[in-house]
Amino acid sequence: MHSSSDDLPDPQDSVRRERREDAVAGFLAQTPVIYQHDIDIHPKAASWADQLPGAPRSLFLTGAIGVGKTHTAWQAARRWIDQRIADTGRLPSVETWRSTALFDALRPDSRDYDGRILTAQLQRADLLYIDDLAAARVSPVGWTQERLYEIFDERYINRRPVLITCDVLPGETEHLVGERVQSRLREMFRGGVLLLEGNDRRMGGAA
């Protein structure tokens, strides 16, 4: 039976598929071990990751301690990367930070990071993921909140997505990030706040 060239697989499809698989595998390797296994994530988180029409651009995962916010976020981020490559054909830049480490890195006396360079990286990244925002304590207040304002304002005006996990709602973060950043968080996460409910999974021995 004669086979036309239209029936042959496109080599570019194979290249793109391998690129996606390699990128997701690379991100998985950077994921903390406890969050590497797959879980069923909330449909709203999946919709955000798949960038479906009408899905929020940014996602704020909130809920009680231990309900799976961080695990959901890591898996949603992997899924987001896969979909982004499928849509654009290029590897997105992703910045992932625990809030405590990020706030320390933004301090003017940080020995490991140049605050200006780090701020620029966080402004430009295709996705910024900050875990456990409420765990951080801003010190000194003025400098850190100024850097946070620069980061979130740039991402806000350029509509670059942010993924955050936090024990409180965006409107209850002023003591952490300041009034100006909180205002932007409210707007950025309008329609993108997901309350996860359930028992503390750690109490039952679950990851």
Side-chain angles (χ1 to χ4, degrees), residues 52-117:
L52 297 178
R57 181 174 297 272
S58 294
L59 186 65
F60 192 102
L61 296 170
T62 189
I65 294 173
V67 296
K69 299 184 297 295
T70 298
H71 204 150
T72 296
W74 279 105
Q75 182 155 322
R78 292 199 299 272
R79 188 161 168 167
W80 183 93
I81 291 170
D82 183 68
Q83 188 60 49
R84 182 69 175 242
I85 296 174
D87 290 343
T88 68
R90 79 174 177 85
L91 177 63
S93 57
V94 179
E95 289 279 348
T96 63
W97 287 83
R98 290 180 182 172
S99 64
T100 49
L102 175 60
F103 284 26
D104 282 346
L106 292 173
R107 287 169 58 96
D109 57 353
S110 173
R111 296 182 178 181
D112 299 319
Y113 295 94
D114 182 310
R116 291 292 182 183
I117 294 175

Side-chain angles (χ1 to χ4, degrees), residues 44 47-49 51-52 54-59 188-193:
K44 187 170 183 175
S47 179
W48 169 82
Q51 302 179 61
L52 297 178
R57 181 174 297 272
S58 294
L59 186 65
M188 293 172 74
F189 292 107
R190 182 169 295 174
V193 176

Side-chain angles (χ1 to χ4, degrees), residues 21-39:
E21 292 173 352
D22 289 346
V24 174
F27 187 77
L28 180 62
Q30 299 173 29
T31 301
V33 174
I34 198 172
Y35 303 124
Q36 289 184 1
H37 68 271
D38 289 341
I39 60 172

